[in-house]
Amino acid sequence: MVENSVQLAPSILGADHSNLAEGVLRIKQAGLSWVHLDIMDGHFVPNLSFGAGVVKALRGKFPGMFFDTHLMLDNPHLYIDMFRKAGADLITVHIEPDYPLDGTLEEIRVLGAQVGVSLNPKTPVAELYGLLGRVDLVLVMSVQPGFGGQSFDASALDKISTLAKWRDELGLGYRIEVDGGITAANVRECLDRGADTIVAGTEFYKNGAALMRAMGLSD
Ligand code: DX5
Ligand code: ZN
């Protein structure tokens, strides 16, 4: 069985957008290294967030942090190079839109970033099965993407269990990340099911100490 270290990846979507550098600084001061960057195009999701320029500016201020970049875009293949150059360490693309997925995963790898794939709450997890040997991380959405502050969709839990089972059966080492509506009250169940990478926006910035305690990351 592959054991990945548990990571908390706070989403700066939940930070003060007039001062995103302070949002990243709070992550660093909590002793964490992963930063979750939610990139939205107003098409795949009904919202806009921020782009590669912001990622690049934050990379300049925080050279040592791990930038976990979640592309919620209809045409992610057009932006891989841009986000890699801006400083993304891991680039996650969704499987739902119609674009050249295989070539996109290959491009992320060739450019030297880690490769992630994501699925929405309504997308069956079996649709990812054929990709598992090619990815470093699977991101299970536990809300319909587009906005922070929504409630956790428990359909994510069975997907996490299935991905953990397949990881064992296939002898693979991909991370299982869960994103959306995570709180100090529900994070333990995600970890128990086999998730090792937890995204939290609202809860990290409002209740981060309790969240970290619930994850066993602090006393
Ligand atoms: C949703 C984003 C999430 C979001 C999580 O579209 O992908 O990363 O920021 O925010 P909370 O933790 O507030 O649900
Ligand atoms: Zn996200």
Side-chain angles (χ1 to χ4, degrees):
M1 179 161 129
V2 179
E3 292 280 351
N4 289 320
S5 62
V6 170
Q7 296 288 346
L8 173 58
S11 169
I12 60 169
L13 198 66
D16 174 357
H17 282 225
S18 74
N19 196 350
L20 290 174
E22 195 253 353
V24 178
L25 184 62
R26 281 182 57 185
I27 299 171
K28 187 175 176 188
Q29 287 173 339
L32 301 169
S33 56
W34 281 51
V35 179
H36 187 81
L37 301 164
D38 284 306
I39 312 297
M40 303 180 182
D41 67 352
H43 292 274
F44 179 64
V45 291
N47 195 9
L48 297 159
S49 56
F50 49 82
V54 170
V55 176
K56 187 172 183 196
L58 293 171
R59 170 53 78 206
K61 285 190 186 228
F62 299 97
M65 302 296 273
F66 185 86
F67 281 6
D68 165 23
T69 311
H70 178 191
L71 301 184
M72 286 163 275
L73 311 177
D74 261 346
N75 288 299
H77 59 300
L78 303 180
Y79 299 93
I80 303 303
D81 188 56
M82 185 187 289
F83 279 97
R84 177 62 180 149
K85 286 199 174 110
D89 294 296
L90 183 152
I91 299 176
T92 296
V93 292
H94 274 260
I95 64 169
E96 291 87 1
D98 186 13
Y99 67 98
L101 176 62
D102 288 337
T104 304
L105 300 183
E106 181 64 18
E107 184 183 5
I108 297 170
R109 176 84 59 213
V110 166
L111 292 175
Q114 292 185 35
V115 180
V117 285
S118 184
L119 77 177
N120 286 339
K122 288 198 171 72
T123 305
V125 70
E127 292 189 15
L128 284 173
Y129 188 80
L131 303 173
L132 295 175
R134 282 181 275 159
V135 303
D136 300 292
L137 176 145
V138 177
L139 171 52
V140 177
M141 289 308 302
S142 42
V143 296
Q144 182 62 25
F147 300 92
Q150 304 181 74
S151 298
F152 184 79
D153 179 337
S155 70
L157 294 171
D158 283 346
K159 288 181 179 170
I160 294 168
S161 299
T162 301
L163 287 163
K165 181 168 79 81
W166 286 343
R167 184 168 59 184
D168 282 352
E169 287 172 2
L170 297 169
L172 296 171
Y174 54 81
R175 287 185 164 276
I176 303 173
E177 183 174 51
V178 57
D179 180 5
I182 303 280
T183 65
N186 63 25
V187 71
R188 193 71 246 167
E189 181 150 26
C190 296
L191 296 171
D192 289 347
R193 294 291 193 111
D196 46 47
T197 311
I198 302 294
V199 177
T202 308
E203 187 77 337
F204 176 77
Y205 288 103
K206 292 207 170 121
N207 198 23
L211 178 63
M212 289 184 66
R213 272 197 304 278
M215 292 181 66
L217 294 174
S218 64
D219 296 330

